[in-house]
Every structure is written in structure tokens, then in C-alpha cells.
């Protein structure tokens, strides 16, 4: 199916793969920087809250400004937006490099530079997702999204290993320089490829207006389509509990192993191995025929055999198994969900709709991150020390001492995250989204929606 305009399709899947290579290299550089700075920040502060705040400021701005970013992405040239987003992320790394080189880097600098990069990163996701929709044939959406997950997962394998080696050879300064070079490479890859702007659709024409109207259009669009709204609310619940736990994995492992960087790097690499295996399977197989199973089933599997098992573990083999299971299904969750939305939403409004979709799904993440650190430092860690109030009850489950309180949080949030997937399965509007909602190029209008351009 040709959903492009009168211009060439820019090589279709081949052109997408070229951009994907640049993004994969850039993610590797970013992953090495994040690993090195995580070690530096924890050694400096010894606080789970400090690491959680780094995660919060590197994440929250992108979520909060998503609707505005999506509206602007649909107005602007998506290729240019992708290039500027990469350059902005590179600029934040340059600032960290200068501060560290001169001995002035402090933990709050990571909050500021993380927020700056996240602000521009808010434009990257809708621009890249919408560009993929006009570059790749519809039947290849799931495989293309599998490649994206593959790059993310491969980075988790390679980045900790390479960063651990390079820290002893070239130090944090050298890793930051490598990161800067990878950003430049990613920009050049995008610049070398033609990315067509999407053709105008009836949905897109009905959505036109001033910037405020276009910014809120995504909310109207999703609100009118209850099945799509239901999927995103499932993500909202699951992401809240996931975020509480994910910011505690690194400090929990460091606390349980007396700051053993090798163990932490090994666990992070196991995360990457699971993601690579899952992404390769998704890219070759294409995922389940009913993609909603990849989303909801993935939630349940990842939460229980990933997050909860991670908290129960007290040794490297168990952590590695939990890390593998957690990331193995993540490509299926994200790839299946992305394919559903790319099939259902017209390409010329995907910037707005996808940005709002991201806000709905991830707005709970920053809250979870803010809660996770203090919850561990002030409540669960003291309560799980020898003689603590929760130690007699949960000590046989997760152990007692440093890291045990964070382990208990991971167990509980994993169970609650799995419950979100169960609720999705027992809700017909979510479970049957693919039959309720027609593809964007179908002529029929779904029974549970208003016409595409109708006001909310």
C-alpha cells in the first residue's frame, strides 16, 4: 500500500534501516554515558532518591509537553525535527563534559541537563513514529518496531560492558566524548535520507486550527475512541508501578553487593540480552496475530517474572534471569502497541495523537519515580533492617539488610503491575480493540467513536 505522496518512498524499509543504524549508534553512546554517570552519582550521594530524581528530570519534561510537541511535529518537517532533537541531546552531553572536565559537575547539574534533553526528546518520539508510518509499508510496522526494540536492547548489553571497560581506560571524560560523536553520526544518517511528509487526510483537515486547538486534538481523538483510550489507561497504571520499581533496581543491586559495579553491569547486560532475543523474535516472526495479546500478556509476564522476581532475588543468577524475562517481552509490548496505533491513526495526525497517547501512558511514570526513592530511603529500607518493623514478616521472602526494602518494593509493584494486564483482558473494549477499531485507510467508522473531526 502506498501511503506516501507523489515523491519517492525514500527506499521504504531500506531507508528506515539506515536511520535506525544512526539511532542505534547514538543510543549506544547515550547508554554508556548513563551507566557511567549512574555509578558516579551513587558513589557521590549513596542515595536512591538522588538517582530517582535524575530519572525524573530526564523523563518528566518529555511527557508533560507531549501534546504541544505533537501539534508542532504535525506542522513542521519531521526530518528536521528529528535532527534538532538529536542535536539538543548532544548539547546537553557537551555541557556535562565541560562541567566534569573542569571539576564543577554536581548532582543537580544532571537534573538540569536531563530536563533539557528530555524537553527536546518530546519531539523525537512523535516525529520518528510518524516518519516510520510513511516510510515503511503497513504490513512491516511490527517488524520495524521490533528493530527499534532491538537497538534499545542491544544497547543494554553493550553499553554497560563497554562503559565498564572504558571507565578504567579513558574515564568518564572519554565516554562523554564518544557519546557526542555518536549524536553527530545519528544526525548525519537522518540528513542523508528523504522522509516524505504525509498526505492530507479528511481527519487531518478536520483537525486543523490554531496551535491550542491542535494541541488538544489528540485528547479529543483518543477520548472519542474508547478502545484506544482503554489501552493507554492500562499503560498508565502499569507504568506507575513499573516506574516505582525501575528506579530502584540499580541502587538495590549496589546496596546488596557493596557497590559492585561488575554485578550491576552484568545485570544490565542481561536486560539487554532479553530485549535482543525478544526483538529478534518479534522482527522475524512479526508478533502474535492479535497484537493486543502482545500488550496485555506482556504486562503480566514482565511484571511477575521480571520485576517481582528481581525483588525476590538475592544473587546474580536470579537477577540475571529476572532481567532477561523483564526485557524479553518488552519488544512485544511496545511493538504490538505501536503497530496497533500506526494502523488505526491517519499518518498526518499521528504527531498530535501519538504525543497525547504518550502523555496518557507515561504521565504516571514521573510520579512513580518521585515516590520510589523516598519510599525506599525513608520507609522500606529502615523497616527491612535487622529489627525493623517489616523484617519479621517479609525477611524470609526478600532477606534483611541493605537493599531488602527496595527488593520488597519491587515484589509488590510487580504484582500490582500484572493486575493492570488482567484488568485489560477482562475489559471487552480493550481486549477486542483490533476488531472494534478499523484501520485508518478503511472506509467504515467504528461504532464506539464519533466521526473523526467531531468535537469532543
Amino acid at each position: 500500500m502506498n501511503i506516501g505522496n507523489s515523491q519517492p518512498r525514500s527506499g521504504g524499509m531500506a531507508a528506515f534501516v539506515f536511520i535506525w543504524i544512526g539511532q542505534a549508534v547514538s543510543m549506544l553512546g547515550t547508554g554508556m554515558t548513563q551507566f557511567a554517570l549512574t555509578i558516579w552519582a551513587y558513589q557521590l550521594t549513596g542515595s536512591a532518591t538522588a538517582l530517582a530524581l535524575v530519572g525524573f528530570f530526564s523523563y518528566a519534561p518529555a511527557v508533560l509537553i507531549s501534546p504541544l510537541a505533537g501539534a508542532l511535529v504535525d506542522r513542521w518537517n519531521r526530518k528536521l525535527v528529528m535532527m534538532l532533537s538529536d542535536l539538543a541531546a548532544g548539547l546537553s552531553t557537551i555541557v556535562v563534559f565541560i562541567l566534569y572536565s573542569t571539576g564543577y559537575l554536581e548532582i543537580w547539574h544532571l537534573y538540569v541537563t536531563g530536563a533539557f534533553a528530555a524537553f527536546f526528546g518530546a519531539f523525537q518520539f512523535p516525529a520518528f513514529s510518524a516518519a516510520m508510518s510513511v516510510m515503511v509499508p503497513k504490513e512491516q510496522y511490527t517488524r520495524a518496531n521490533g528493530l527499534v526494540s532491538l537497538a534499545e536492547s542491544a544497547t543494554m548489553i553493550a553499553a554497560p560492558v563497554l562503559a565498564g571497560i572504558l571507565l578504567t581506560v579513558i574515564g568518564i571524560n572519554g565516554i562523554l566524548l564518544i557519546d557526542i560523536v555518536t549524536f553527530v553520526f545519528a544526525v548525519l544518517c537522518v540528513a542523508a535520507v528523504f522522509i516524505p511528509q504525509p498526505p492530507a487526510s479528511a481527519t487531518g483537515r478536520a483537525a486543523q486550527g490554531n496551535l491550542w486547538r491542535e494541541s488538544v486534538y489528540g485528547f479529543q481523538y483518543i477520548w472519542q475512541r474508547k478502545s484506544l483510550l482503554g489501552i493507554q489507561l492500562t499503560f498508565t497504571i502499569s507504568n506507575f508501578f513499573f516506574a516505582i520499581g525501575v528506579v530502584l533496581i540499580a541502587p538495590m543491586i549496589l546496596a546488596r553487593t557493596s557497590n559492585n559495579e561488575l554485578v550491576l553491569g552484568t545485570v544490565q547486560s542481561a536486560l539487554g540480552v532479553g530485549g535482543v532475543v525478544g526483538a529478534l523474535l518479534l522482527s522475524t516472526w512479526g508478533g502474535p496475530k492479535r497484537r493486543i495479546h502482545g500488550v496485555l500478556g506482556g504486562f503480566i509476564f514482565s511484571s511477575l517474572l521480571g520485576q517481582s522476581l528481581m525483588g525476590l532475588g538475592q544473587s546474580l543468577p536470579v537477577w540475571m534471569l529476572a532481567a532477561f524475562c523483564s526485557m524479553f517481552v518488552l519488544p512485544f509490548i511496545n511493538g504490538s502497541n505501536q503497530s496497533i496505533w500506526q494502523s488505526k491513526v491517519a499518518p498526518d495526525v499521528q504527531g498530535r495523537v501519538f504525543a497525547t497517547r504518550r502523555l496518557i501512558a507515561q504521565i504516571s511514570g514521573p510520579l512513580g519515580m518521585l515516590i520510589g526513592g523516598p519510599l525506599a530511603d525513608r520507609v522500606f529500607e529502615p523497616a527491612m533492617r535487622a529489627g525493623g518493623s517489616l523484617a519479621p514478616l517479609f525477611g524470609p521472602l526478600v532477606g534483611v539488610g541493605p537493599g531488602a526494602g527496595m527488593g520488597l518494593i519491587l515484589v509488590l509493584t510487580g504484582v500490582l503491575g500484572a493486575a493492570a494486564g488482567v484488568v485489560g483482558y477482562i475489559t471487552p473494549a480493550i481486549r477486542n480493540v483490533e476488531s472494534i477499531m478499523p484501520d485508518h485507510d478503511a472506509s467504515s467508522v467504528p461504532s464506539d467513536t464519533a466521526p473523526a473531526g467531531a468535537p469532543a
Side-chain angles (χ1 to χ4, degrees), residues 9-21:
R9 197 175 181 68
S10 80
M13 193 71 176
F16 167 76
V17 169
F18 191 74
I19 295 177
W20 171 79
I21 291 172

Side-chain angles (χ1 to χ4, degrees), residues 383-385 387-396 400:
M384 289 302 296
R385 293 171 185 161
S389 59
L390 296 178
L393 181 61
F394 294 105
V400 175

Side-chain angles (χ1 to χ4, degrees), residues 222-237 292 295-296 299 337 341 360-361 420 423-425 427-431 433 448:
I222 296 173
W223 179 258
Q224 293 163 6
R225 293 155 176 82
K226 304 305 182 186
S227 293
L228 295 180
L229 176 62
I231 292 179
Q232 292 314 101
L233 291 178
T234 305
F235 271 90
T236 305
I237 298 169
I292 192 64
V295 178
L296 301 179
F299 278 147
N337 186 55
W341 285 80
I360 295 171
V423 171
Y425 264 124
T427 306
I430 299 174
R431 185 179 68 247
V433 60
D448 72 335

Side-chain angles (χ1 to χ4, degrees), residues 43-292:
Q43 290 177 341
L44 179 69
T45 65
S47 169
T49 299
L51 292 186
L53 286 174
V54 172
F56 171 80
F57 284 107
S58 300
Y59 180 65
V63 175
L64 296 176
I65 71 160
S66 285
L68 175 62
L72 292 174
V73 163
D74 282 337
R75 288 186 171 201
W76 295 344
N77 183 288
R78 290 168 178 178
K79 174 178 177 176
L80 180 61
V81 170
M82 292 170 63
M83 293 171 64
L84 291 176
S85 297
D86 280 333
L87 286 172
L91 181 59
S92 69
T93 303
I94 291 173
V95 171
V96 173
F97 170 76
I98 294 173
L99 290 170
Y100 185 83
S101 300
T102 55
Y104 288 105
L105 184 65
E106 298 181 20
I107 191 70
W108 69 267
H109 291 137
L110 299 185
Y111 305 158
V112 176
T113 55
F116 178 82
F119 177 87
F120 286 94
F123 296 84
Q124 178 80 0
F125 169 74
F128 185 50
S129 299
M132 186 193 305
S133 298
V134 294
M135 296 178 71
V136 178
K138 183 171 69 173
E139 60 273 13
Q140 298 293 330
Y141 283 168
T142 302
R143 287 186 170 88
N145 287 311
L147 286 176
V148 175
S149 295
L150 176 62
E152 295 170 347
S153 302
T155 295
M156 291 184 182
I157 300 174
V161 175
L162 290 175
I165 296 172
L166 293 175
L167 276 172
T168 61
V169 179
I170 59 177
I172 292 179
N173 268 342
I175 291 175
L176 291 169
L177 280 175
I178 292 174
D179 193 10
I180 293 168
V181 172
T182 63
F183 280 117
V184 174
F185 179 75
V187 171
L188 293 176
C189 286
V190 175
V193 172
F194 168 68
I195 301 177
Q197 289 294 101
S201 68
T203 302
R205 286 189 290 269
Q208 291 176 350
N210 58 40
L211 184 59
W212 168 252
R213 181 171 184 264
E214 293 184 8
S215 296
V216 301
Y217 174 78
F219 292 99
Q220 297 172 339
Y221 185 100
I222 296 173
W223 179 258
Q224 293 163 6
R225 293 155 176 82
K226 304 305 182 186
S227 293
L228 295 180
L229 176 62
I231 292 179
Q232 292 314 101
L233 291 178
T234 305
F235 271 90
T236 305
I237 298 169
S238 179
N239 284 341
F240 173 72
F241 295 116
F242 176 78
I244 293 176
V246 74
V247 297
L248 299 179
I249 292 176
M252 181 197 73
I253 292 174
L254 291 172
R256 285 187 183 268
T257 61
S258 301
N259 291 335
N260 191 315
E261 300 171 11
L262 179 60
V263 172
L264 177 60
T266 303
V267 173
Q268 291 189 344
S269 293
L271 285 166
V273 171
V276 166
V277 174
L280 285 173
L281 181 59
L282 179 63
S283 299
T284 54
W285 168 37
K289 185 176 180 180
R290 289 193 62 201
R291 289 167 291 190
I292 192 64

Side-chain angles (χ1 to χ4, degrees), residues 129 132-133 141 145 338-344 350 440:
S129 299
M132 186 193 305
S133 298
Y141 283 168
N145 287 311
Q338 180 83 331
S339 298
I340 291 172
W341 285 80
Q342 287 172 323
S343 299
K344 306 303 180 184
Q350 284 184 5
H440 65 77

